[in-house]
Amino acid sequence: METPPEPSEGEWDFYWCDVSWLRENFDHTYMDEHVRISHFRNHYELTRKNYMVKNLKRFRKQLEREAGKLEAAKCDFFPKTFEMPCEYHLFVEEFRKNPGITWIMKPVARSQGKGIFLFRRLKDIMDWRKGNAGKKLTSLEAQPARSTANPSGSHSSVALCNHRRHPSPGLFQLPQRLATTILLSVSVDVVLQDARSSDDQKEDIPVENYVAQRYIENPYLIGGRKFDLRVYVLVMSYIPLRAWLYRDGFARFSNTRFTLSSIDDQYVHLTNVAVQKTSPDYHPKKGCKWMLQRFRQYLASKHGPEAVETLFSDMDNIFIRSLQSVQKVIISDKHCFELYGYDILIDQDLKPWLLEVNASPSLTASSQEDYELKTCLLEDTLHVVDMEARLTGREKRVGGFDLMWNDGPVSREEGPPDLSGMGNFVTNTHLGCVNDRKKQLRQLFRSLQGQKKASS
Amino acid sequence: MLQEESDLSLVIAQIVQKLKGSSLYAQLERQAWGSWEKRILKSLNSMCTELSIPLARKRPVGEQKELLNKWNEMGTDEPDLSLFRPVYAPKDFLEVLINLRNPNYENGDSLSFRTHLGLIQVPLKVKDIPELKEFFVELGLTTGQLGIDDSTQVPPELFENEHVRIGQKVLAEQDSAAAQQYIRQGSPTALRAELWALILNISSQPEDILYYEQLKTNVIQHDLLVDSLIYKDVKLTASNDDYYFVFEDYLYQVLLCFSRDTSVLGHFAYNSASPPKSYIRGKLGLEEYAVFYPPNGVIPFHGFSMYVAPLCFLYHEPSKLYQIFREMYVRFFFRLHSISSHPSGIVSLCLLFETLLQTYLPQLFYHLREIGAQPLRISFKWMVRAFSGYLATDQLLLLWDRILGYNSLEILAVLAAAVFAFRAVNLMEVTSLAAAEAVLADLSTLKVMPLLQIFLFATVT
């Protein structure tokens, strides 16, 4: 795969970049006011599993202090997770409290299901430790037993974990831009080709960090199969927090039937399409995906519309709280925006769980339908980013995107939000609903043109 | 001659016993159907001999155990089905229908303007638009409909809320006739499963569940050749469908049991077809040595599994799913692949479709005929499958609501004509059958109810 020649500084106005480029160049790249780039500098606070867990835990504690236990409980959408090797002791404690449950070990920075395995016995991780990234872990274990009385986390062992902190941004002046240029890195070009996807690209860290997470043993099954949901959230800024939710998305099915008896069969448990593609059962034509509209209808016919409303508003809660938890940590550069791919798992009680957030969701298409979804998604993203400065900034819907959070909840109703009792408040989200984006865009741009004419 | 023994296992065992080493002979009752039956059976027989597979055999105990373990995930099995062919496909059946002639009918002056220029040459009585408007009066412009008046722009207070309330009342009172009347305006998603069960008179009594379990046992104990045909059909159609692939396992569980269900033979009493029979070698024609094959008398064709697939959206309990499908089959679906003069039979539907097109869209009809694209050649497969796999699922269910509500399949022909009317502009520009097929290849974006309403009530006749 050829990398396009690196542009000289300041020669582009819009860059859909790789996270690796970002890491190397963002800090010393000057950007004019209008310039836009498709990642936040330290997005990994949200998208790397170990950081996300930490931020979420901290946010939860803060909520508990400020608003009480009930409010904090709304953050309980993340299965109990422990960083390895730092939180190994805490993990063992939790492990012993719940004998017999299944855990899943995931590498923090890899994607597409690579390096993941399930286990039920401590013996299983002992074996893994001896083999793999366990060098650090072994040395920790070898030390005399230390008190694990540090409830808020593992600050005492921070030194052993390779946390990367962002260097302070450096700026230096560059000549003015010469022409309007839009740069697309390789990962977007492959929308049209059937190449490798670019889920959360690998960061070059010398030590492989893992997280051990409680495995959800009672996933909701359709046709006997496990699935997870991929939902798209577009964040235009963190301070203030402005986030849009895309109406379309899909459910990704595992090709094999779910059973807890075969935890070695990674094909059953992992629903990433990338992993499924290597399963012997995989039929590429199928793509094993359902559009969210179909999924929503299926659930409605089985559980009724109210239960579905509750589920979807619980999911809204996940999106908003997860973003709020990193709001203060992420460097909110006005040039940055980011399109996240959220992975959600539903359990049999219709409770949604957050599996992870991807900063570079795959844009390769596994079917015609998938291709349509992703091209429309990108198109609408560009509409919201609005390089052409056509929007007024007061829009609540652009194409398939609904404004979900605008420094506060956004209501479906017109007029100022009535936050007093949250009585009739319905959030402005339409996940899995009809997406008549073409019509909406036509009407939107026509009325914007009209407004422009009127004011000129 | 219909089997009435209540001991199902005994019956099946007898069939298997009798079928040892025999082949099938058609009963030559009616010429057209007779020769068609002959063809099907010939195909089945030759597959039998070529592959050296018996029509039926008892499974060894080891195999039985294995199948029982895998009962909920038969889709993961990948038996070698490459040598099996579907016994027939809808287009083969269409050829038979085209060649139907009633020897008693005098065509008279062949140049009369009433000459039918379509493919079907059997003069059955079909409704015209005024009669259809009367028949489908609840689909009229002034009556609320689900599929139209529940769209996002319409406030729910206008129709939807009240309609849901009435639906709940109907269910509470368990009034089957009222349910049938109610569902003509469409069923709310949350109530559909119950409403259909009410209209079809399906209630899951313990004896129904037991019956299903008995059928399941039969599947475990005996292997039939048609099983491989069913497997193949599911793999070719439902498993490749973007939405129904998820329900693959349910389809096996339903269809394998269905093929062994001798109670289905009951529908042949009002079906002019007859189930294929097998005779013990050397005893051809002697009724006491005859058995029906497969036990339910229905040989699956290419696409058969699509009758079941949409039902998986509504029913998740295997025995209930099974009962609903069986009832839908013996009330409606069987008419789509057997020859009869019934107004809901496929012959009448084809004729209705062609007449509607020729009468109300003559320009389009003549144009398509000129370029060698007889409309029926394209719409036939839609009607045979009751549009399953062609429409989006939510639209399909709205359509099947009306089939149940009006107890008639005529709506399939009306919809087919409405689709042609909708795409008439594009169709007028094509110059070949292939191009016409392309225009009509994708129906997944169509909204069924507006199409029907416009065609029936808003077109100048």
Side-chain angles (χ1 to χ4, degrees):
Chain A
M1 192 117 22
E2 260 205 43
T3 335
E6 287 302 315
S8 348
E9 310 288 354
E11 264 189 13
W12 45 270
D13 306 288
F14 179 94
Y15 192 1
W16 191 281
C17 66
D18 266 357
V19 290
S20 48
W21 182 93
L22 188 86
R23 194 175 48 246
E24 278 156 36
N25 297 285
F26 185 91
D27 299 329
H28 45 264
T29 305
Y30 172 71
M31 290 183 277
D32 271 346
E33 168 126 6
H34 70 283
V35 165
R36 294 286 176 267
I37 191 164
S38 68
H39 286 291
F40 285 92
R41 176 63 185 89
N42 57 342
H43 59 271
Y44 44 78
E45 294 286 351
L46 181 64
T47 59
R48 277 186 49 183
K49 304 168 185 68
N50 53 343
Y51 290 171
M52 205 252 285
V53 165
K54 212 190 300 292
N55 286 315
L56 201 58
K57 280 182 184 168
R58 195 194 52 238
F59 180 65
R60 189 191 191 290
K61 277 198 184 64
Q62 181 194 335
L63 263 189
E64 193 166 16
R65 271 198 316 270
E66 291 173 5
K69 274 197 174 351
L70 220 60
E71 195 62 20
K74 291 192 187 154
C75 290
D76 291 338
F77 47 75
F78 200 68
K80 259 211 151 62
T81 308
F82 298 95
E83 257 195 79
M84 302 297 211
C86 343
E87 295 181 315
Y88 181 72
H89 289 300
L90 288 173
F91 162 71
V92 171
E93 210 183 296
E94 183 72 25
F95 183 90
R96 296 218 160 97
K97 270 195 253 171
N98 300 279
I101 66 169
T102 314
W103 292 80
I104 182 168
M105 191 74 84
K106 303 189 201 181
V108 297
R110 282 200 273 171
S111 60
Q112 304 175 14
K114 298 199 271 278
I116 293 184
F117 65 94
L118 300 174
F119 61 95
R120 275 204 198 110
R121 309 167 299 176
L122 277 180
K123 179 181 174 306
D124 296 330
I125 14 172
M126 308 279 187
D127 297 336
W128 162 78
R129 274 166 47 199
K130 289 197 184 95
N132 199 1
K135 298 286 184 341
K136 296 271 184 201
L137 199 53
T138 329
S139 62
L140 182 63
E141 267 299 277
Q143 286 168 23
R146 0 173 349 133
S147 72
T148 50
N150 192 346
S152 65
S154 51
H155 300 301
S156 52
S157 42
V158 147
L160 288 169
C161 295
N162 198 3
H163 288 225
R164 286 168 60 96
R165 288 282 144 213
H166 53 270
S168 47
L171 296 169
F172 61 98
Q173 293 294 329
L174 283 170
Q176 294 280 345
R177 64 175 173 86
L178 301 169
T180 310
T181 330
I182 294 186
L183 268 186
L184 296 168
S185 77
V186 173
S187 53
V188 174
D189 288 341
V190 302
V191 170
L192 305 169
Q193 301 159 37
D194 190 17
R196 64 163 176 77
S197 68
S198 58
D199 260 83
D200 209 21
Q201 289 154 9
K202 190 164 188 282
E203 318 242 357
D204 301 317
I205 38 171
V207 166
E208 178 113 77
N209 279 12
Y210 277 73
V211 290
Q213 191 177 72
R214 187 152 171 178
Y215 183 67
I216 295 165
E217 287 172 329
N218 63 337
Y220 194 90
L221 302 176
I222 296 183
R225 294 170 211 231
K226 186 175 157 172
F227 63 93
D228 71 0
L229 303 180
R230 164 52 60 92
V231 182
Y232 296 100
V233 175
L234 174 63
V235 176
M236 293 304 295
S237 74
Y238 275 94
I239 299 179
L241 182 58
R242 270 175 73 89
W244 300 74
L245 182 65
Y246 202 67
R247 294 190 176 198
D248 291 335
F250 44 88
R252 298 177 293 206
F253 286 91
S254 155
N255 217 17
T256 45
R257 314 307 180 261
F258 182 79
T259 160
L260 280 177
S261 55
S262 59
I263 55 178
D264 280 331
D265 185 0
Q266 70 160 341
Y267 298 118
V268 178
H269 299 281
L270 302 172
T271 53
N272 282 20
V273 176
V275 173
Q276 291 299 320
K277 274 184 175 155
T278 58
S279 155
D281 287 343
Y282 183 72
H283 293 290
K285 238 175 107 177
K286 276 189 289 195
C288 355
K289 287 179 181 172
W290 264 13
M291 290 293 130
L292 274 184
Q293 282 79 8
R294 181 70 64 239
F295 170 71
R296 193 165 177 153
Q297 273 164 13
Y298 176 87
L299 279 191
S301 69
K302 203 168 167 200
H303 301 278
E306 294 87 19
V308 173
E309 274 294 327
T310 310
L311 169 64
F312 277 76
S313 83
D314 286 345
M315 288 202 278
D316 288 345
N317 175 64
I318 290 181
F319 307 136
I320 294 169
R321 303 240 174 232
S322 58
L323 293 173
Q324 284 177 328
S325 71
V326 295
Q327 199 178 359
K328 303 215 173 84
V329 179
I330 295 229
I331 306 163
S332 189
D333 189 321
K334 64 172 187 279
H335 303 101
C336 303
F337 68 92
E338 207 152 22
L339 179 68
Y340 296 111
Y342 272 73
D343 291 342
I344 306 276
L345 184 76
I346 317 280
D347 73 14
Q348 275 172 14
D349 303 317
L350 286 188
K351 177 185 156 80
W353 295 87
L354 176 61
L355 292 178
E356 71 171 331
V357 184
N358 288 294
S360 311
S362 162
L363 294 171
T364 49
S366 54
S367 68
Q368 182 61 30
E369 205 174 37
D370 203 34
Y371 175 82
E372 308 262 338
L373 183 151
K374 285 171 177 168
T375 43
C376 294
L377 174 69
L378 282 176
E379 213 181 286
D380 288 342
T381 304
L382 293 174
H383 285 315
V384 174
V385 169
D386 197 28
M387 298 293 293
E388 307 96 320
R390 291 181 292 182
L391 303 178
T392 62
R394 284 186 305 276
E395 287 82 9
K396 276 166 52 169
R397 181 183 171 192
V398 176
F401 276 112
D402 291 299
L403 184 60
M404 168 171 64
W405 192 268
N406 186 12
D407 202 20
V410 180
S411 162
R412 264 190 212 167
E413 306 302 324
E414 300 303 323
D418 162 40
L419 295 168
S420 50
M422 299 288 257
N424 286 338
F425 187 87
V426 182
T427 1
N428 185 39
T429 52
H430 300 85
L431 189 60
C433 295
V434 164
N435 185 6
D436 52 344
R437 52 180 290 280
K438 282 209 180 104
K439 184 165 149 205
Q440 197 272 346
L441 287 169
R442 250 199 327 268
Q443 287 171 339
L444 176 66
F445 288 122
R446 210 180 299 146
S447 83
L448 285 172
Q449 251 190 339
Q451 282 177 35
K452 247 202 179 112
K453 285 205 176 101
S455 59
S456 64
Chain B
M1 185 186 89
L2 299 168
Q3 314 249 14
E4 248 131 59
E5 289 94 311
S6 48
D7 191 355
L8 196 56
S9 341
L10 185 57
V11 164
I12 303 282
Q14 283 177 349
I15 291 174
V16 173
Q17 183 64 21
K18 286 180 180 177
L19 283 175
K20 266 204 196 133
S22 64
S23 40
L24 299 169
Y25 295 87
Q27 262 205 319
L28 304 174
E29 273 176 15
R30 233 167 250 172
Q31 199 182 23
W33 186 243
S35 67
W36 168 241
E37 271 183 345
K38 238 167 111 176
R39 263 179 69 186
I40 297 181
L41 298 174
K42 189 159 171 243
S43 176
L44 205 53
N45 276 332
S46 59
M47 222 189 298
C48 231
T49 22
E50 270 172 38
L51 305 174
S52 318
I53 293 175
L55 287 174
R57 68 176 177 100
K58 192 165 163 75
R59 284 189 223 269
V61 173
E63 199 185 310
Q64 287 188 32
K65 255 205 200 131
E66 208 191 305
L67 185 55
L68 190 58
N69 282 338
K70 273 212 321 258
W71 181 256
N72 290 322
E73 41 181 66
M74 281 186 274
T76 52
D77 222 4
E78 294 274 336
D80 181 12
L81 300 169
S82 48
L83 297 171
F84 288 95
R85 308 173 294 280
V87 179
Y88 66 96
K91 61 175 161 48
D92 304 315
F93 188 50
L94 177 60
E95 292 302 323
V96 175
L97 299 189
I98 292 172
N99 291 315
L100 284 177
R101 298 277 186 278
N102 186 341
N104 294 333
Y105 183 73
E106 263 296 312
N107 211 1
D109 183 6
S110 57
L111 293 175
S112 142
F113 76 94
R114 291 180 70 85
T115 303
H116 186 70
L117 294 169
L119 295 170
I120 304 293
Q121 295 296 322
V122 182
L124 295 170
K125 169 105 183 57
V126 293
K127 298 185 171 79
D128 56 15
I129 286 201
E131 286 168 322
L132 288 169
K133 274 160 100 151
E134 223 184 281
F135 185 67
F136 291 117
V137 65
E138 290 88 351
L139 300 184
L141 297 166
T142 50
T143 318
Q145 296 294 331
L146 286 184
I148 298 175
D149 301 295
D150 54 335
S151 75
T152 43
Q153 293 93 343
V154 180
E157 303 84 61
L158 282 183
F159 167 70
E160 202 181 344
N161 287 348
E162 181 62 14
H163 190 66
V164 173
R165 204 189 57 80
I166 298 176
Q168 285 162 339
K169 190 150 175 281
V170 165
L171 279 175
E173 289 170 16
Q174 287 289 292
D175 187 341
S176 183
Q180 197 174 335
Q181 179 65 31
Y182 168 80
I183 211 173
R184 292 178 180 189
Q185 291 170 271
S187 165
T189 318
L191 305 178
R192 184 173 277 125
E194 285 181 68
L195 278 170
W196 283 22
L198 181 56
I199 295 170
L200 296 168
N201 287 321
I202 304 285
S203 57
S204 279
Q205 302 298 332
E207 51 261 31
D208 301 314
I209 301 177
L210 195 60
Y211 189 75
Y212 176 75
E213 288 298 318
Q214 261 191 303
L215 290 172
K216 179 176 162 183
T217 313
N218 274 299
V219 177
I220 306 282
Q221 286 174 349
H222 300 102
D223 179 24
L224 301 178
L225 174 66
V226 281
D227 290 350
S228 303
L229 297 175
I230 289 168
Y231 254 107
K232 180 118 191 179
D233 187 49
V234 173
K235 287 283 182 206
L236 284 179
T237 54
S239 297
N240 271 331
D241 186 283
D242 280 337
Y243 289 104
Y244 298 128
F245 71 88
V246 167
F247 303 119
E248 193 184 338
D249 297 330
Y250 294 153
L251 296 176
Y252 297 123
Q253 291 171 33
V254 167
L255 289 167
L256 292 178
C257 290
F258 181 67
S259 64
R260 288 155 175 75
D261 192 345
T262 52
S263 74
V264 174
L265 291 170
H267 89 279
F268 284 105
Y270 48 90
N271 181 357
S272 48
S274 55
K277 276 196 207 163
S278 166
Y279 294 89
I280 302 279
R281 186 155 283 184
K283 304 272 195 252
L284 173 59
L286 296 173
E287 285 309 310
E288 60 264 34
Y289 292 99
V291 291
F292 294 110
Y293 185 86
N296 71 345
V298 180
I299 295 187
F301 56 87
H302 178 63
F304 192 86
S305 56
M306 294 305 281
Y307 288 141
V308 190
L311 302 174
C312 296
F313 252 75
L314 303 173
Y315 304 99
H316 314 100
E317 214 272 304
S319 74
K320 186 118 191 234
L321 174 63
Y322 178 76
Q323 283 185 276
I324 296 276
F325 165 66
R326 182 179 59 182
E327 192 60 30
M328 292 284 283
Y329 182 83
V330 302
R331 275 202 206 189
F332 303 113
F333 297 146
F334 78 93
R335 297 198 192 278
L336 297 172
H337 50 264
S338 41
I339 300 177
S340 78
S341 56
H342 193 276
S344 273
I346 188 70
V347 186
S348 303
L349 295 185
C350 289
L351 191 58
L352 175 58
F353 165 75
E354 289 192 313
T355 312
L356 284 174
L357 222 56
Q358 192 181 340
T359 315
Y360 301 104
L361 293 157
Q363 239 192 336
L364 177 63
F365 189 87
Y366 292 136
H367 169 73
L368 288 173
R369 211 170 145 266
E370 283 301 296
I371 61 170
Q374 275 277 6
L376 186 58
R377 286 204 187 277
I378 302 174
S379 65
F380 185 71
K381 55 187 183 289
W382 303 339
M383 293 191 285
V384 166
R385 285 221 214 148
F387 281 89
S388 174
Y390 296 106
L391 295 173
T393 311
D394 61 317
Q395 295 300 311
L396 183 78
L397 293 173
L398 288 168
L399 179 68
W400 287 16
D401 281 343
R402 272 70 179 194
I403 292 178
L404 285 165
Y406 291 100
N407 200 31
S408 152
L409 292 164
E410 285 159 300
I411 202 158
L412 297 177
V414 180
L415 180 61
V419 171
F420 272 73
F422 185 63
R423 299 223 170 135
V425 172
N426 291 8
L427 286 168
M428 285 303 289
E429 292 179 15
V430 300
T431 52
S432 70
L433 173 61
E437 300 254 22
V439 169
L440 295 165
D442 184 9
L443 307 185
S444 59
T445 51
L446 295 183
K447 299 275 178 267
V448 157
M449 298 318 299
L451 278 183
L452 286 168
Q453 250 193 5
I454 291 172
F455 187 76
L456 285 175
F457 297 98
T459 313
V460 176
T461 52

